[in-house]
Amino acid sequence: MRVQLKYITFVLALITFPVFAQQGFIEGVISDQVTGELMPGARVTVKNHKVGAYSDFDGQFKISINEGKYDLQVTFMGYDTLIVKEVNVMANETNVLAPLQIVAQVSDFDEVVIAASRKTNTENAILSLKQKSSNMIDGMSSAKFKKTGDSDAGSAMRRIPGVSLSDGKYIFIRGIGDRYSKTLLNGLDVPGLDPDRNTVQMDIFPTKIIDNIVVYKSSSADLPADFTGGLIDISLNNTPSEKTRSIALSTSFNPTSHFKSNYLTYENEGADLFAMGKGGRTIPAENNIPFFAESIADPDGEKARRYKEILGAFDPQLAAMEATSMMDIGIDANVGEAFKKQAFTIGYNFNLAYKNETQFYENALFSRYGLSSEREVNEMELRELQTGSYGENNVLLSGMLGLSLSTSKSKFNLNLLHLQNGTSTAGIFDYKKTDQGAVFEGFQHNLEYAQRSLSNVMLSGKHKFTNEDWELSWASSTSLSSIDNPDIRFTRYEERNDGSYSIGTESGFPERIWRELNELNTSAKVDLTKQFKWFGNSAQLKAGAIQNYKKRDFNIRSFSINVRNVELTGDPNELFAPENLWPYNGDVSKGTTFETPFIPVNPNQFESSVLSSGLYAMTEISPVERLRLIVGLRTELYNQRYTGQDQMGTNVLNNDVVLQELGFFPSVNAVFAITEQQNIRLSYGKTTARPSFKELSYSEILDPITGRTFIGGLFRDANDVLGIEYWDGNLVSTSIHNFDLRWELFHGRGQTFSISAFYKMFNNPIEIVQFASQAGAFQPRNVGDGSVVGVEFEGRQSLGFISNKLNNFNLAVNVTLTQSQIELSATELESREINAREGQEIQPYRDMAGQSPWIINSGLEYTGEHGFGKNLQVGLYYNVQGETLLFSGIADRPDIYTVPFHGLNMNISKRFGKEEQFSIGLGVKNIANAKKEAVFKSFEAEDQMFYSLKQGTTFNLKMSIEF
């Protein structure tokens, strides 16, 4: 800690930059005259002076200038210019102007008519901020949410250029996977329902509570260093611009999932309806658990009695059962209001949402293929095949309360957030294995429940000082998150040729698993901004500090079930039927028993923590007119510790440091305004990607549905008999150098066009690689150095230029093309050469895992203005990304690639009523009925399925009322 304090003091001394000026100030708020919406990104200039400012997301601006009398000019894309005459400025005093209201244009000419009805402006505001931002950004506003009819952030994010989603939840930016993206909430790092991901599960945020979403595609010193593809900042709406009361009801129907009489489930607790089913699935014993060997040695003794007591405490249900599935339902309630007083404004925004969704995957397929030992054989060999159906019921309950207090100089925000999620899964699969000396066929039943929760408290403030042109902002956040998998139940039977059933080492013993994860996450930051003059032009100095602390406790307790000398019928419920429990009919050699591999030492229990401290300084200057330079340096001191051991107990760590680094992350952004509507941007930034808690561990985590195992990156992977080491267990951070170039044109009323090019160099990239010495296992590893080069095209255009009849139609298209490569390490290159097919030439490079070669996002939107079409919004959206390396192969394991998923969705929404208080929305998701699939690929071989899931087409109906 002493070293860290010295480090902080040293860097703070370097970034101190006192700038003093005796000036006065002009402050104001800009809004739309018709709608009352606040106007972020409006430009305010002092006429005949090179002084000005842009309004922030609250529509507020502040200008410092010498004492005198001035005229102001307010401009905003798609709005009339507003002139404010004779504004008096006194030294060391602030002139707070009355609210400035600007009027929307209906043409691009000088003559102006104020329209009685006008589309909400916030989408233009995002474009304006994009035009004026120091970073390369894209974004989406609350107005866009209303237009598309999206109810949650996950659905809405598909509309942002260069963005795609996995499972409708997790973000990919420019085709780069979750590892290289990051999510912030109000500017702070907040874990999601899956803390092992950098990006938060986006579908947990109702659009009602979101003010805007901004995606940063270039780095700067005031942003975290651990992102590369993109950083998503979700700003919550603490204070609505007007009083709001609303209730929304929604339902969905999917023919492949709903009203299916063969839907699979299992008996559950009533608390499952509220995502709190953990309590009804408690572990039968946490201590005083005898070994079976101790119990059989004295069948009438105290240990045997305790053993039988534990056996009888297991829930006897192991079989999935059929039931009729129901439609999805959802309810969302929102209340918000602002109270304006003479000296301050207070406001609140409360949202409560509930979703209950059901999915049924019939004819699901999971398989494993390998390369033949005969090099002249190109076709891959089937080694494991699992086909069947499984049902999944997902419940999400969310609550958010935002409070705000604003004065002329300060603003305070308090956010309370709680998310509760429960997922119940049941499946029946046919199983076939022809690998590692085991050749058999059978079937299995899977029952699983996952309960996740997140509670967060966030407090933030922003302050403007009177005497100097300083601004101070700060924020702190504390989160408690948990994931519980209580009583995962896995049962597999072998079907023999004579029609009998068996359970043993060949088929794999049944398991009952309890997994627990608890995590504490605290974060705090402070930013200080100073406005000053540099060669007569406005300039800015910004510095700040941040500290994050995370601590995770993880535990897996697995009971291995053995059925001894009991005739089986193929019904999994028979295993824990009272009559079949040990000792069967008093015979100590028969009956269902259990073993506890987590006793006396549990290799799947660990504690890990991270302490990260950061400092930064940056400045924005204009050395010549139209050119802005933003230069900064960020430094982060990162320490990760681990307590745990490997499976054999040969490596035992006790709060040992497993990753420690002091990183320096420079960034440079240059923005040249060719004209008022055109920019050229050039940027460079160094960033990093660090392993997660799970990745930097000795844990082994089984996914019972797919049968695949995650293995922590601290494990060594080797074939010591052959003298081959595939992985040494030394997982380190990735270092990335990012270069970006963009030309952008903004030509009025929400229309824009841009061309971008980017290049990224990766040192020690982390990828999930197939584990060579254990079938069906995957592990995070550092692979050879890599690079990504790409271009991005974006256009948003009204079709009115074709015909006036098409004025209400808008087309948005984004295309991202990339080429990635990873240099093969010596081990991977040798492995691929040894297993190469005849005639196959192994190249020194391969694709980067998780990097899509191309992405297409497009949308065609119609906005009605007259008659029945008034307040009618129709949108058709298409999203697809190219074939992407999912898992890199090694030894005789081939590469696995995703298959392009053609996502075609439609939304229709209409507001009506005397005060437009009613709305109805219709949506169709996955119109093309595309499947989610991935395949094994090998040289001149037919592609073979890794997994295949049919999601079906979903029809949505949503109705809401505001009062």
Side-chain angles (χ1 to χ4, degrees):
M1 181 60 72
R2 183 177 300 174
V3 174
Q4 203 167 52
L5 287 174
K6 289 182 178 179
Y7 158 74
I8 294 174
T9 303
F10 173 72
V11 179
L12 279 175
L14 290 178
I15 66 174
T16 303
F17 189 93
V19 182
F20 301 98
Q22 297 297 321
Q23 296 179 318
F25 305 93
I26 304 171
E27 284 190 4
V29 177
I30 303 171
S31 63
D32 182 288
Q33 188 181 70
V34 176
T35 67
E37 294 279 352
L38 299 175
M39 301 293 296
R43 185 183 183 188
V44 185
T45 56
V46 180
K47 296 191 70 173
N48 302 320
H49 294 75
K50 295 181 178 180
V51 179
Y54 289 97
S55 59
D56 60 19
F57 271 118
D58 297 316
Q60 299 178 352
F61 70 91
K62 182 175 182 178
I63 297 174
S64 61
I65 194 168
N66 293 331
E67 184 174 2
K69 184 178 291 187
Y70 304 95
D71 293 341
L72 301 183
Q73 178 175 286
V74 182
T75 58
F76 189 86
M77 185 170 50
Y79 282 74
D80 291 340
T81 298
L82 176 67
I83 304 297
V84 184
K85 294 282 190 179
E86 298 184 346
V87 178
N88 288 310
V89 178
M90 303 294 291
N92 297 324
E93 293 185 8
T94 299
N95 186 345
V96 180
L97 304 178
L100 305 180
Q101 296 183 330
I102 55 178
V103 181
Q105 294 177 344
V106 295
S107 71
D108 293 328
F109 300 98
D110 292 336
E111 294 180 344
V112 175
V113 178
I114 299 177
S117 175
R118 171 67 182 173
K119 294 180 290 187
T120 183
N121 60 12
T122 321
E123 188 176 351
N124 277 344
I126 287 289
L127 288 177
S128 180
L129 287 173
K130 178 178 177 178
Q131 180 182 3
K132 307 304 179 184
S133 172
S134 303
N135 298 76
M136 295 184 187
I137 69 169
D138 283 294
M140 196 168 185
S141 64
S142 56
K144 185 71 170 179
F145 303 151
K146 295 177 183 178
K147 179 181 292 186
T148 60
D150 295 316
S151 60
D152 61 71
S155 301
M157 287 292 290
R158 296 179 186 274
R159 327 297 176 205
I160 297 179
V163 173
S164 57
L165 274 81
S166 171
D167 298 327
K169 304 174 184 178
Y170 300 108
I171 297 296
F172 286 71
I173 308 292
R174 287 176 166 174
I176 301 176
D178 171 80
R179 179 180 305 280
Y180 299 110
S181 301
K182 189 178 183 68
T183 303
L184 302 179
L185 190 63
N186 284 350
L188 279 180
D189 191 2
V190 174
L193 291 173
D194 186 349
D196 287 309
R197 289 181 175 267
N198 269 343
T199 56
V200 174
Q201 184 175 329
M202 299 302 294
D203 63 345
I204 63 179
F205 296 106
T207 51
K208 274 285 186 182
I209 70 173
I210 300 175
D211 187 57
N212 59 76
I213 301 173
V214 176
V215 178
Y216 294 87
K217 296 182 179 179
S218 64
S219 62
S220 59
D222 57 342
L223 298 176
D226 54 342
F227 84 94
T228 297
L231 183 144
I232 304 102
D233 191 4
I234 303 174
S235 296
L236 300 181
N237 182 12
N238 281 25
T239 307
S241 57
E242 57 185 15
K243 182 178 179 180
T244 175
R245 305 282 191 274
S246 68
I247 293 179
L249 300 175
S250 63
T251 186
S252 300
F253 172 70
N254 186 320
T256 64
S257 293
H258 302 138
F259 300 121
K260 304 285 287 186
S261 60
N262 59 338
Y263 173 77
L264 295 175
T265 183
Y266 70 106
E267 292 182 1
N268 48 51
E269 301 295 317
D272 286 10
L273 286 173
F274 303 99
M276 299 179 183
K278 172 188 171 183
R281 298 172 172 89
T282 56
I283 192 168
E286 298 188 73
N287 51 56
N288 188 21
I289 305 175
F291 292 107
F292 176 67
E294 296 174 321
S295 303
I296 198 173
D298 184 8
D300 298 319
E302 181 179 344
K303 289 185 180 296
R305 287 194 296 270
R306 173 61 176 164
Y307 189 89
K308 287 183 277 188
E309 178 186 346
I310 296 172
L311 262 177
F314 281 97
D315 188 323
Q317 185 179 11
L318 293 178
M321 64 182 190
E322 292 185 348
T324 299
S325 56
M326 304 306 293
M327 293 173 59
D328 299 341
I329 60 169
I331 183 170
D332 186 296
N334 179 259
V335 180
E337 193 169 358
F339 303 93
K340 298 182 179 180
K341 306 297 180 181
Q342 184 174 357
F344 61 88
T345 300
I346 59 174
Y348 73 92
N349 196 3
F350 175 71
N351 194 92
L352 187 65
Y354 175 84
K355 290 195 293 186
N356 190 319
E357 300 174 328
T358 299
Q359 288 182 300
F360 186 41
Y361 299 98
E362 291 188 278
N363 302 314
L365 181 149
F366 304 97
S367 65
R368 183 165 55 85
Y369 280 78
L371 301 177
S372 171
S373 59
E374 300 177 9
R375 296 186 60 183
E376 65 272 13
V377 177
N378 291 334
E379 293 303 324
M380 294 173 279
E381 298 176 338
L382 176 64
R383 296 181 175 175
E384 200 171 26
L385 178 63
Q386 183 177 313
T387 58
S389 302
Y390 71 95
E392 185 176 272
N393 179 247
N394 186 71
V395 175
L396 176 64
L397 182 64
S398 65
M400 193 281 283
L401 174 63
L403 303 173
S404 67
L405 171 63
S406 301
T407 67
S408 60
K409 299 297 180 183
S410 299
K411 184 174 183 179
F412 301 89
N413 292 310
L414 173 65
N415 289 98
L416 305 176
L417 176 69
H418 181 76
L419 304 170
Q420 191 75 28
N421 174 238
T423 304
S424 177
T425 307
I428 301 177
F429 299 92
D430 292 324
Y431 182 82
K432 180 179 181 180
K433 186 174 183 180
T434 57
D435 188 27
Q436 298 181 331
V439 180
F440 73 93
E441 294 185 8
F443 62 91
Q444 69 187 50
H445 286 240
N446 292 84
L447 307 179
E448 184 174 351
Y449 184 78
Q451 179 175 308
R452 302 175 178 88
S453 68
L454 169 66
S455 298
N456 173 259
V457 178
M458 183 180 296
L459 183 64
S460 61
K462 183 181 292 186
H463 313 277
K464 296 179 180 179
F465 299 96
T466 302
N467 295 330
E468 298 291 341
D469 199 10
W470 295 88
E471 181 177 289
L472 174 70
S473 63
W474 54 270
S476 66
S477 171
T478 299
S479 301
L480 295 174
S481 56
S482 66
I483 301 178
D484 290 280
N485 297 102
D487 202 3
I488 298 171
R489 310 169 204 183
F490 163 76
T491 310
R492 180 183 294 154
Y493 285 84
E494 177 185 352
E495 292 183 278
R496 294 179 171 172
N497 293 332
D498 60 3
S500 63
Y501 303 96
S502 71
I503 293 177
T505 55
E506 192 170 69
S507 63
F509 290 107
E511 288 191 272
R512 309 287 293 263
I513 303 170
W514 278 260
R515 285 201 295 248
E516 300 168 352
L517 181 153
N518 293 285
E519 185 168 311
L520 169 68
N521 188 317
T522 64
S523 181
K525 71 168 187 173
V526 60
D527 303 286
L528 187 62
T529 304
K530 168 64 178 167
Q531 307 291 337
F532 64 98
K533 295 292 183 182
W534 197 77
F535 289 111
N537 295 320
S538 296
Q540 175 180 278
L541 177 71
K542 189 176 182 182
I546 187 168
Q547 187 165 72
N548 294 310
Y549 175 74
K550 301 178 183 180
K551 181 177 180 294
R552 174 180 295 187
D553 291 306
F554 183 76
N555 189 15
I556 300 178
R557 288 170 290 185
S558 176
F559 294 81
S560 297
I561 309 302
N562 193 355
V563 184
R564 303 172 188 270
N565 305 313
V566 175
E567 186 175 348
L568 300 174
T569 66
D571 178 6
N573 290 334
E574 65 186 331
L575 271 61
F576 281 89
E579 64 273 15
N580 288 333
L581 298 180
W582 180 86
Y584 177 78
N585 290 333
D587 187 341
V588 297
S589 66
K590 297 181 178 181
T592 300
T593 63
F594 67 82
E595 300 289 350
T596 52
F598 61 91
I599 295 177
V601 178
N602 187 357
N604 273 318
Q605 180 177 10
F606 72 81
E607 178 184 296
S608 192
S609 65
V610 164
L611 179 62
S612 174
S613 302
L615 296 166
Y616 77 88
M618 59 186 291
T619 186
E620 179 176 338
I621 58 175
S622 295
V624 297
E625 189 176 1
R626 296 184 179 274
L627 176 65
R628 287 184 293 152
L629 293 178
I630 303 94
V631 182
L633 176 65
R634 185 181 185 92
T635 178
E636 293 185 357
L637 180 62
Y638 186 90
N639 283 277
Q640 186 166 337
R641 295 178 176 272
Y642 183 83
T643 298
Q645 67 172 46
D646 63 11
Q647 304 294 314
M648 303 301 295
T650 54
N651 293 292
V652 180
L653 303 181
N654 184 15
N655 201 32
D656 290 358
V657 174
V658 290
L659 183 61
Q660 184 177 58
E661 58 187 18
L662 173 61
F664 292 90
F665 305 97
S667 62
V668 179
N669 287 270
V671 184
F672 181 72
I674 303 173
T675 67
E676 282 292 320
Q677 290 78 36
Q678 295 184 68
N679 290 327
I680 289 182
R681 297 177 179 270
L682 180 66
S683 75
Y684 162 77
K686 182 184 177 185
T687 57
T688 187
R690 303 184 178 105
S692 68
F693 281 135
K694 182 175 73 172
E695 292 176 330
L696 205 55
S697 76
Y698 281 116
S699 62
E700 292 191 27
I701 304 172
L702 171 70
D703 181 353
I705 293 292
T706 64
R708 291 162 192 146
T709 301
F710 173 90
I711 295 181
L714 294 178
F715 276 109
R716 180 172 170 265
D717 183 17
N719 187 329
D720 292 324
V721 175
L722 298 178
I724 301 175
E725 184 178 68
Y726 300 104
W727 172 245
D728 61 6
N730 183 29
L731 191 62
V732 299
S733 297
T734 303
S735 177
I736 308 108
H737 295 273
N738 307 272
F739 302 86
D740 290 86
L741 174 66
R742 173 189 275 184
W743 170 78
E744 53 192 16
L745 169 67
F746 301 86
H747 49 291
R749 294 178 297 184
Q751 300 176 108
T752 179
F753 181 76
S754 66
I755 302 175
S756 306
F758 54 92
Y759 177 68
K760 300 177 184 294
M761 297 188 300
F762 295 79
N763 181 247
N764 293 317
I766 301 173
E767 294 185 354
I768 303 297
V769 178
Q770 297 182 67
F771 203 77
S773 55
Q774 181 176 329
F778 300 83
Q779 182 184 44
R781 300 176 183 175
N782 296 110
V783 296
D785 293 346
S787 63
V788 175
V789 60
V791 292
E792 185 178 23
F793 305 89
E794 179 197 351
R796 301 183 190 183
Q797 176 69 48
S798 166
L799 300 185
F801 73 96
I802 301 175
S803 167
N804 288 335
K805 295 180 179 180
L806 299 178
N807 274 331
N808 291 11
F809 289 87
N810 287 276
L811 178 66
V813 177
N814 171 268
V815 178
T816 304
L817 305 174
T818 68
Q819 181 176 350
S820 67
Q821 64 177 28
I822 291 289
E823 183 178 5
L824 299 183
S825 65
T827 300
E828 185 177 353
L829 179 61
E830 181 182 7
S831 170
R832 289 179 179 265
E833 289 175 341
I834 291 173
N835 292 276
R837 307 295 91 184
E838 284 189 359
Q840 181 181 7
E841 183 178 349
I842 301 300
Q843 301 297 323
Y845 298 94
R846 62 164 171 81
D847 296 336
M848 174 180 282
Q851 174 63 61
S852 176
W854 50 268
I855 292 179
I856 299 175
N857 286 320
S858 61
L860 179 63
E861 298 174 342
Y862 169 81
T863 303
E865 294 181 346
H866 306 290
F868 177 80
K870 183 179 179 182
N871 297 317
L872 176 66
Q873 308 281 352
V874 182
L876 183 66
Y877 304 97
Y878 174 70
N879 173 273
V880 63
Q881 66 180 46
E883 194 173 68
T884 304
L885 179 62
L886 184 63
F887 297 117
S888 173
I890 197 167
D892 63 345
R893 275 79 157 158
D895 293 332
I896 302 171
Y897 281 80
T898 62
V899 176
F901 180 90
H902 296 269
L904 183 61
N905 306 317
M906 174 182 282
N907 287 316
I908 303 172
S909 63
K910 164 79 173 169
R911 302 189 69 88
F912 57 96
K914 185 177 180 180
E915 298 180 358
E916 300 179 355
Q917 71 272 33
F918 299 102
S919 70
I920 185 169
L922 300 173
V924 186
K925 183 179 178 182
N926 193 21
I927 296 173
N929 198 24
K931 291 183 179 180
K932 183 180 178 183
E933 295 178 327
V935 295
F936 291 92
K937 282 184 169 292
S938 185
F939 176 72
E940 292 188 355
E942 183 180 354
D943 293 348
Q944 301 293 344
M945 282 294 172
F946 177 59
Y947 64 74
S948 178
L949 297 172
K950 184 177 181 181
Q951 297 177 312
T953 301
T954 302
F955 302 87
N956 305 308
L957 172 64
K958 182 179 180 181
M959 296 173 289
S960 66
I961 178 173
E962 297 180 357
F963 49 91

